[in-house]
Amino acid sequence: MKSNFLKSKGANTQTFYNFLSTMLRSGIMFITMPIFTRILGTEQYGLYSIYASWLTIFVCFMGMNVKSGLGTGLYKFKDDYPKFRSSTLVEGSLISAVIIIVAVLIYPLIKSIFGYPIFIFTILLFEAFAQFILDFANLAWIYEKKAASNMLVSIATLVLTSVLSIALIMMWNGDHDTLYYGRVIGTALPQVAIAIFVWAYIFKQQPYGFNKEYWKYSFLFGVPLVFHMLSQQILGQSDRLMMKWFGTGSGQIGIYSFYYSFVTILTTILNALNNSWCPFLYDDLAKRNYKVLDKKIGNYVQIFTVLCLGFLLVSREVMKIFANEEYWSGVNLIPILVLVTYCTYFYQFGVNYEFFNSRPRVVAIGTVVAAISNIILNSILIPPYGMFGAAIATLISYAILAAMHTIVVKTWKLEKYPLTYKPVVLGLLLVLIGCVIFYVAKDLMVIRWGLGVALGVYLVLSVYKRKTIF
């Protein structure tokens, strides 16, 4: 019975693997976070966060996002899907190779923008390519319902990058101003090695190269989403880049980056939930099981809302475990960034429906508008308010994004959103109350932790009673 559960492609099994992966990765991150914050310090930690921001931007362009067509391609090409997958992988790899060559050739002309020596810039490019391959595999395995494969690769990658990064930083013999290079190299090398293995593994299953129909489909689906991904990264990364641009100290950028990373635990859990949710959402939408979906949405909202509330209640104390006193001045960023995460959760209901109806351009337009709003708001709020201005600008931008996608799907004439929004609106109100409690009950640790434990017990009992995650 246990063996059948582990091999099953059902929602509970997929969610089990996604959550197990999330818990293991979060555990590793929570163990290594205080190590990195202490051995790097706020300035070097801030410099690495800026490098990571550039990396995520380059990832948007690698392969021109042809991987985005895998989910719908699984249904469109059906029996020929393995060929479609391999062909798309080859297409994305060739596009990425061209991007790397062009970027290296023109780097002398753009070096002043980045400020890195050529070898660090080259590492950045190859790491971005590796992330494209790993993201390709991740997306393929999500829709193929192979969460166990995703778990193994993600855990192996995180363990190897963490161990090598710590070792290189500790052994670094160069200038202290380049200490974060140890983190850069230690993160890149394992990812490149694992990406090569994953590429070969996927391609070997069904070797296939050029196919005009496949390449055209993937390219036309993916290119609009390059702007979506780039805009997402602007939403998530422009705050740190613009803080540097406006002269905010590296120390304050490091503090902001720490809290952004700290709250990422919720984003990681959300990704695990959404990865489990989407394949079954699409199945029910295709069958028009709307009443069943409305009930599942209520369960989905319950899970993530309770997790956000629990995080808000205990994060004041937990934060101090992972960073020393020089980071504590930014503790009041936590509720703002939790609301950013919940707005991300809110807008995914609309975006998932837009993807199901093959509307990548609609998805891209909404994200571009939010990204432009974020840049404008950052330029207004960062100079007077620093890292708190950056956080508020990010929150407003994500709220705009959530509102736009909700309005779009609720007002479509041909494919109007058929599901309920009431549970997620209620969930947002509860999280807002949780944010208020964070501030007004800052000295009431026992009460906050008591409420957090009670919420945890309530959630576990609820899931156990209904015998299903969703």
Side-chain angles (χ1 to χ4, degrees), residues 297-358:
I297 287 172
N299 295 336
Y300 186 15
V301 171
Q302 178 204 47
I303 291 171
F304 192 65
T305 302
V306 170
L307 290 173
C308 286
L309 290 171
F311 187 88
L312 284 165
L313 289 168
V314 305
S315 56
R316 275 189 179 274
E317 289 71 36
V318 174
M319 169 275 299
K320 295 179 180 179
I321 300 174
F322 301 105
N324 54 36
E325 290 187 24
E326 64 179 330
Y327 290 89
W328 293 1
S329 61
V331 68
N332 286 329
L333 288 168
I334 291 175
I336 303 172
L337 296 176
V338 169
L339 282 173
V340 169
T341 305
Y342 206 86
C343 285
T344 302
Y345 172 64
F346 199 110
Y347 92 75
Q348 283 183 350
F349 285 91
V351 166
N352 288 337
Y353 190 69
E354 290 163 1
F355 275 127
F356 175 76
N357 285 284
S358 298

Side-chain angles (χ1 to χ4, degrees), residues 259-281:
Y259 283 101
Y260 210 98
S261 299
F262 180 66
V263 177
T264 296
I265 178 60
L266 288 175
T267 307
T268 305
I269 292 173
L270 174 56
N271 290 337
L273 287 169
N274 195 53
N275 289 346
S276 305
W277 171 256
C278 278
F280 300 99
L281 168 68

Side-chain angles (χ1 to χ4, degrees), residues 108-163:
L109 301 176
I110 59 175
K111 183 178 179 180
S112 60
I113 298 174
F114 300 93
Y116 300 126
I118 185 65
F119 85 95
I120 290 293
F121 183 70
T122 304
I123 288 173
L124 185 150
L125 293 172
F126 276 95
E127 186 177 359
F129 185 18
Q131 286 198 19
F132 163 76
I133 296 170
L134 295 175
D135 289 345
F136 184 100
N138 174 266
L139 196 60
W141 291 335
I142 285 172
Y143 287 99
E144 294 167 22
K145 299 174 183 174
K146 297 179 179 178
S149 298
N150 267 334
M151 181 184 72
L152 291 174
V153 171
S154 63
I155 296 301
T157 303
L158 185 56
V159 170
L160 291 174
T161 55
S162 298
V163 171

Side-chain angles (χ1 to χ4, degrees), residues 311-447:
F311 187 88
L312 284 165
L313 289 168
V314 305
S315 56
R316 275 189 179 274
E317 289 71 36
V318 174
M319 169 275 299
K320 295 179 180 179
I321 300 174
F322 301 105
N324 54 36
E325 290 187 24
E326 64 179 330
Y327 290 89
W328 293 1
S329 61
V331 68
N332 286 329
L333 288 168
I334 291 175
I336 303 172
L337 296 176
V338 169
L339 282 173
V340 169
T341 305
Y342 206 86
C343 285
T344 302
Y345 172 64
F346 199 110
Y347 92 75
Q348 283 183 350
F349 285 91
V351 166
N352 288 337
Y353 190 69
E354 290 163 1
F355 275 127
F356 175 76
N357 285 284
S358 298
R359 298 290 193 275
R361 292 182 183 178
V362 175
V363 175
I365 290 170
T367 319
V368 168
V369 170
I372 294 171
S373 301
N374 186 242
I375 292 173
I376 295 171
L377 289 166
N378 274 330
S379 65
I380 295 171
L381 296 174
I382 287 176
Y385 302 113
M387 60 183 178
F388 288 96
I392 293 169
T394 302
L395 173 58
I396 295 173
S397 301
Y398 272 93
I400 292 171
L401 184 61
M404 288 182 61
H405 285 297
T406 302
I407 292 170
V408 166
V409 297
K410 293 297 285 186
T411 57
W412 267 352
K413 293 182 179 179
L414 296 178
E415 297 291 344
K416 188 176 180 180
Y417 190 71
L419 306 174
T420 179
Y421 257 103
K422 290 181 181 179
V424 72
V425 172
L426 177 60
L428 178 59
L429 292 175
L430 290 174
V431 172
L432 285 169
I433 293 172
C435 291
V436 173
I437 293 173
F438 179 93
Y439 291 119
V440 301
K442 63 180 181 179
D443 298 321
L444 304 175
M445 184 186 74
V446 175
I447 294 176

Side-chain angles (χ1 to χ4, degrees), residues 19-39:
F19 259 101
L20 179 60
S21 174
T22 298
M23 296 306 295
L24 291 173
R25 283 185 290 129
S26 298
I28 295 168
M29 288 172 63
F30 272 5
I31 291 171
T32 57
M33 186 184 294
I35 298 175
F36 286 123
T37 57
R38 284 170 170 81
I39 63 178

Side-chain angles (χ1 to χ4, degrees), residues 58 62 97-108 110 118 121 125:
F58 273 94
M62 289 296 167
V98 172
I99 291 172
I100 291 173
I101 292 170
V102 172
V104 170
L105 290 176
I106 68 171
Y107 187 63
I110 59 175
I118 185 65
F121 183 70
L125 293 172

Side-chain angles (χ1 to χ4, degrees), residues 449-463:
W449 276 77
L451 288 172
V453 171
L455 284 172
V457 172
Y458 160 73
L459 182 58
V460 170
L461 291 177
S462 295
V463 174

